[in-house]
Amino acid sequence: MKEDKIRLKKIKIGLLCDNCVGKTSICYALLNLGFTKEILSTTVTNRIETEYPLNNGNVIKLILLDIAGYERFRSIELRNIKRAHGLILMMDFTNYRSFENLDSWLKQISENNEKNIPIVLFGNKIDLPKKDWKVTVEQVKEFAKKNNLTYFETSAKTRKGVKEGFSYIVNKCYKILEE
């Protein structure tokens, strides 16, 4: 086995959801930057770059496109998904509207992206008390199944499911790029 890991491609992953669902916090959780409630809402696409180890031992440059969730910025920012190799669609268990809007996000993805790219669904904020949840796990699983999405339950605060979700989408994109 080689001592140096082979550096190959750049993989761009876009994160899409309504505002205040936790895209930026999920990115920070992946990068082990800690959790804070004081993050400002994203108004333009934030581009975050890091090296990321793949399941096969190779290391790639991972580029996260944290796309603005506010409606007034959305049409401008959605052009960024054309450059993505994969997408993470997110919803917040304590915000029913974020779940309702998933169909709209999928429609916008379809309208703004000619290529068939992997999309996963993150159900975020699972660390919050279930009494505050407005959406059930069953509803989210049903939505994911209906739309052929792989689903992960995540918490930016505890980092639960974050590594697994990113590992899945990044390795899936890598496999597609290698083919």
Side-chain angles (χ1 to χ4, degrees), residues 10-54:
K10 294 180 184 178
I11 295 178
K12 295 178 185 170
I13 303 293
L15 289 91
L16 302 167
C17 63
D18 290 358
N19 59 310
C20 301
V21 169
K23 291 182 307 294
T24 304
S25 294
I26 285 286
C27 292
Y28 287 3
L30 178 70
L31 301 173
N32 294 317
L33 295 177
F35 179 80
T36 179
K37 291 183 177 183
E38 308 305 317
I39 294 176
L40 297 174
S41 293
T42 304
T43 57
V44 295
T45 297
N46 288 331
R47 182 183 169 110
I48 302 165
E49 295 186 20
T50 188
E51 290 186 347
Y52 193 86
L54 298 170

Side-chain angles (χ1 to χ4, degrees), residues 80-97:
N80 288 305
I81 67 172
K82 291 180 180 180
R83 298 184 304 213
H85 299 108
L87 296 170
I88 296 173
L89 188 59
M90 291 178 57
M91 53 78 55
D92 168 355
F93 277 104
T94 66
N95 179 339
Y96 189 78
R97 184 176 203 98

Side-chain angles (χ1 to χ4, degrees), residues 105-171:
W105 281 107
L106 285 175
K107 182 179 180 207
Q108 290 179 61
I109 291 167
S110 175
E111 291 171 355
N112 287 282
N113 198 344
E114 302 85 36
K115 50 189 178 176
N116 186 14
I117 62 173
I119 303 170
V120 297
L121 176 62
F122 281 14
N124 198 31
K125 301 188 183 180
I126 61 168
D127 57 283
L128 295 176
K130 290 212 178 192
K131 67 178 179 55
D132 297 335
W133 288 22
K134 309 292 186 230
V135 183
T136 67
V137 171
E138 292 74 26
Q139 287 173 295
V140 180
K141 284 182 177 179
E142 185 178 314
F143 177 86
K145 184 177 179 180
K146 180 179 97 175
N147 290 286
N148 200 28
L149 303 173
T150 302
Y151 164 64
F152 294 90
E153 293 176 9
T154 60
S155 167
K157 186 175 185 179
T158 67
R159 297 186 185 136
K160 183 172 180 178
V162 174
K163 182 180 176 187
E164 296 83 358
F166 273 102
S167 179
Y168 176 86
I169 188 76
V170 171
N171 281 283

Side-chain angles (χ1 to χ4, degrees), residues 63-78:
I63 301 168
L64 302 174
L65 302 171
D66 178 1
I67 298 170
Y70 283 105
E71 184 70 41
R72 66 181 178 260
F73 301 117
R74 198 174 296 167
S75 62
I76 299 166
E77 296 304 315
L78 280 173

